[in-house]
Amino acid sequence: MNGAFAPDSRALTPAVGKALEVGIVVMFVGVMTTALYGGVVPDYRNAVGDEVADRTTVAAAERVENAVPPPARNARVVHRVDLPASIRGSGYRIAVTGRTLVLEHPSPEIEARTRLALPARVDDVSGGWESGEDAVVVVTGDEDELSVRLTDRRTVEGDG
């Protein structure tokens, strides 16, 4: 036959062509999926998580600052603070360092800090919040000294 196709072997050509097309499409989808989930998507999730962390600490700091009452003889203020249940799919903690709220997240790419703008009569800021809790800020004291405590609703209700 001298390398020529036999008349009955031409029926394989469309099937082989389609198999090659399917193989190329599957390979393209595999390469794109690997590229996206190997680099682009995690970077995007980290960037969004970092932005959410920043917004969370800023909103929490605003609630803490707004909870401080004007000077009064005896003050006790309890404000609820809305926090996202998770950031980038993980739980987190907001702690106080001096007069700064610090968001602690398991992912090292996600971090946030916000300085609290509190009056000089605020003597002490303490406590922290865990994500998923009913977070509250409790301000107690008198017209000269106030104490700010970050805690959860259960603890406050237990204080009686």
Side-chain angles (χ1 to χ4, degrees):
M1 281 211 213
N2 296 341
F5 286 109
D8 61 344
S9 66
R10 289 186 309 154
L12 291 178
T13 304
V16 170
K18 290 296 179 191
L20 286 173
E21 289 174 14
V22 168
I24 290 171
V25 168
V26 168
M27 193 168 64
F28 175 75
V29 169
V31 167
M32 289 306 294
T33 302
T34 301
L36 288 175
Y37 285 105
V40 176
V41 172
D43 290 344
Y44 175 76
R45 289 183 69 203
N46 287 337
V48 170
D50 199 40
E51 182 65 28
V52 170
D54 285 339
R55 290 180 185 195
T56 299
T57 56
V58 167
E62 185 176 295
R63 279 308 269 172
V64 170
E65 293 162 0
N66 289 337
V68 176
R73 282 199 322 215
N74 290 319
R76 178 170 168 84
V77 177
V78 178
H79 271 285
R80 186 172 188 277
V81 179
D82 291 323
L83 299 174
S86 66
I87 296 176
R88 198 185 180 271
S90 297
Y92 60 93
R93 175 172 167 67
I94 295 179
V96 177
T97 303
R99 289 185 172 231
T100 302
L101 294 182
V102 179
L103 189 135
E104 300 165 352
H105 193 273
S107 175
E109 292 85 14
I110 298 174
E111 60 184 1
R113 307 175 83 77
T114 302
R115 179 107 172 108
L116 294 168
L118 298 171
R121 61 194 176 92
V122 173
D123 185 46
D124 179 48
V125 183
S126 63
W129 295 310
E130 297 286 336
S131 63
E133 291 181 346
D134 289 331
V136 295
V137 57
V138 179
V139 181
T140 54
D142 57 30
E143 56 193 29
D144 296 326
E145 288 185 358
L146 291 174
S147 176
V148 176
R149 184 171 47 117
L150 311 182
T151 187
D152 61 79
R153 191 186 72 199
R154 249 187 356 233
T155 303
V156 171
E157 289 174 353
D159 286 347

